Amino acid sequence: MKSQVPESRAVKMLREVFESGRPLTYLRCTEEQRAARVLGEVSRRLSTSVPMSLWTWSLTEGMHRDGQAADASTRDPRTALDFIIACKDAGIFHLKDFHEPLRDSAEIRRRLRDVHESCLDQHKFVVITSPVRFIPEEVERSVLFVELRSPDFAELVEFLREETQRMSPVTRNNTSEDVLHQFARALLGLTLDEARYALRRALAAGNELGPESLPALLEEKRLLVNRSGVIEFIAEANDLEEVGGLEGLKKWLLERRKLFQMRESLSMEIVPKGVLIMGIPGCGKSLSVKAIANYFKLPLYRVDMIEIFSGRHGKPEGAFVEACKMMEDMAPAVLWFDEIEMGITSTDSGGEQGRIFAFFLTWMQEKARGLFVAATANRIDLLPAEMIRKGRFDEVFFVDLPQEDEQIEIFRIHLGRRGVNVSGFKLEQLIKFTSGWTGAEIEQCVISALTTAHLADRELTEQDLISVAAKLVPLSRTMKEQINHIRGWAFDRAVRASPQPVRR
């Protein structure tokens, strides 16, 4: 039955607005059809003693009730408002793009104030929908402004259920509730129109909706999300086993994953907010973030701070706030701020960067509990104290140069990933050549050695690795002073991602 369908966030919000008695609401949204769906659902759920009709008006058709023909005589905005005042029945009156009549006519603005008075406590509710915000000063105190956020999980499940009913009997009968829930979670952050296109792309990739068609849906979502230019959907996934060393960080994530999965039943103080990973370039910070998303079984999104400050998306402050709001709608997810020190600082407290920093600190405290923030930083000395204090991030980890046993593990990972059988290799012999190496340098050593072997049309040998290693000059040697500075700064400010080696 309809009453058994869970109430979506949008329906709950508008139902509570109407039940408070407010007669005028301005709903900013880009999806008129979705707004009509939500209002229709609200009309059925309102706890009133009288039936609640839904009326819709547009400048091209006039006023009409659901399932009935429009009255062309009510196309004029003034006539439409007169109709609402004269109507004796309870109802919701949906006025599409009514911001233009409000902008152009003082008479319409005056008549809307009359509508407010006549609808008060009469179970009559007027909702103006528009993709832009325009509320005249005359009626600003009488109108409640609301933004229609992206569909939540409950709304997407119901949407997918309706869409599958329109598909072939085979697809309809073979689509389980588990599949609907899996697809709804994947579609979070999209509009219903975008979700419909993604669903059709997934269906085109296979005859049925199931795990095999999910990659096509995620690819469509990647294209839709990435078009913003500010947020990037990262489809690449890494297992924690692909991250060499960093056992301290891995243990911490194991503990926090359990808490994150229980987030709905825990208080906000206990639910993990995020982690800040700082350290030497090339030592696995980015790889760790991708592994976190995979380990938590959540989608990963990266905020491009360079794009935010480029000016191509409006003022940086507004672009950053919109990106954070967009991510709230995509929760649960992992949000990655790469090189966070390049965009969020407190050095310019009165300028745009300072305002972004202040917003970020507040947002970290109040964001949705299903959003886990993973931030990475290289120039850690640029990070202000407010950023790294307890309460913003759950923990601050420092990723140092890999220790000897971690270097061997990293060699095994990169060789194994490229199909090299290392059972006959004595990787311990490489350690005398790799002192001070980063994980990225070990990877490049493996790639260069494989290139040499392929050019010679033979299998990779241990000597190929040694030959490359003997010639490579590590970052820790070419930038010794900067590396020492990073280590010194982080010594008593962060937790080491790798446990300290036992001294003998």
Side-chain angles (χ1 to χ4, degrees), residues 180-409:
L180 290 180
H181 288 193
Q182 187 179 20
F183 273 59
R185 280 190 290 269
L187 290 169
L188 285 169
L190 302 184
T191 65
L192 288 190
D193 287 339
E194 292 169 340
R196 183 177 291 108
Y197 298 138
L199 183 65
R200 290 175 181 175
R201 177 167 181 168
L203 193 60
N207 295 325
E208 298 180 8
L209 293 180
E212 67 282 352
S213 54
L214 190 60
L217 181 140
L218 291 175
E219 174 60 20
E220 180 69 15
K221 182 176 182 179
R222 185 187 68 82
L223 295 174
L224 291 168
V225 172
N226 290 6
R227 71 183 177 186
S228 70
V230 173
I231 297 177
E232 179 186 5
F233 176 52
I234 306 293
E236 179 185 354
N238 297 102
D239 292 329
L240 271 182
E241 290 74 18
E242 296 181 59
V243 180
L246 309 185
E247 294 303 323
L249 174 61
K250 291 178 181 178
K251 180 182 178 183
W252 185 88
L253 290 173
L254 176 65
E255 298 167 348
R256 293 311 183 277
R257 182 179 72 163
K258 182 178 180 180
L259 291 176
F260 194 82
Q261 291 172 341
M262 299 168 59
R263 60 187 177 275
E264 296 302 331
S265 60
L266 299 175
S267 65
M268 282 294 292
E269 294 84 6
I270 301 175
V271 177
K273 299 181 182 70
V275 62
L276 173 58
I277 307 175
M278 55 177 62
I280 298 167
C283 287
K285 297 188 297 297
S286 299
L287 187 67
S288 296
V289 172
K290 294 175 183 178
I292 289 171
N294 190 43
Y295 187 58
F296 278 35
K297 299 187 183 307
L298 295 174
L300 174 63
Y301 302 91
R302 185 176 73 91
V303 174
D304 191 334
M305 297 305 298
I306 294 176
E307 272 297 314
I308 284 178
F309 281 96
S310 69
R312 288 188 287 269
H313 311 280
K315 291 186 176 181
E317 184 180 358
F320 184 78
V321 171
E322 283 300 315
C324 290
K325 285 183 178 179
M326 182 177 178
M327 284 309 310
E328 293 265 1
D329 294 332
M330 293 185 182
V334 174
L335 179 57
W336 177 16
F337 288 94
D338 194 16
E339 296 189 48
I340 192 172
E341 77 278 18
M342 303 307 292
I344 302 180
T345 68
S346 62
T347 53
D348 181 20
S349 58
E352 195 134 37
Q353 276 194 313
R355 292 194 297 271
I356 288 177
F357 174 70
F359 169 81
F360 179 77
L361 293 185
T362 303
W363 180 77
M364 278 294 292
Q365 296 289 115
E366 301 174 354
K367 64 179 176 59
R369 65 175 64 203
L371 206 56
F372 186 87
V373 173
T376 56
N378 293 325
R379 294 289 307 279
I380 50 182
D381 54 320
L382 295 180
L383 292 173
E386 300 96 322
M387 176 77 76
I388 62 176
R389 78 160 177 82
K390 288 287 187 180
R392 307 300 184 193
F393 293 95
D394 299 302
E395 196 57 89
V396 179
F397 283 98
F398 173 63
V399 179
D400 203 349
L401 294 169
Q403 300 162 21
E404 291 184 356
D405 58 331
E406 292 178 326
Q407 289 182 351
I408 295 173
E409 184 182 355

Side-chain angles (χ1 to χ4, degrees), residues 57-127:
W57 176 89
S58 69
L59 189 61
T60 54
E61 294 184 356
M63 188 77 74
H64 69 93
R65 187 157 41 184
D66 276 357
Q68 298 182 5
D71 183 356
S73 65
T74 58
R75 288 178 184 172
D76 180 73
R78 168 63 194 268
T79 307
L81 296 181
D82 292 343
F83 177 91
I84 295 172
I85 292 175
C87 184
K88 301 299 182 182
D89 300 327
I92 298 173
F93 300 87
H94 177 196
L95 308 181
K96 297 180 178 180
D97 290 333
F98 207 75
H99 64 284
E100 289 296 345
L102 287 175
R103 191 196 310 271
D104 298 336
S105 172
E107 180 186 4
I108 296 300
R109 295 194 289 271
R110 173 62 257 179
R111 197 55 172 160
L112 187 63
R113 296 175 69 184
D114 297 336
V115 168
H116 177 271
E117 293 298 323
S118 69
C119 292
L120 198 62
D121 297 327
Q122 298 300 312
H123 299 294
K124 295 198 293 185
F125 308 101
V126 179
V127 180

Side-chain angles (χ1 to χ4, degrees), residues 280 398 400-401 482-491 496:
I280 298 167
F398 173 63
D400 203 349
L401 294 169
Q482 184 174 335
I483 298 296
N484 288 338
H485 172 69
I486 292 174
R487 283 173 146 176
W489 190 94
F491 181 77
R496 289 185 174 273

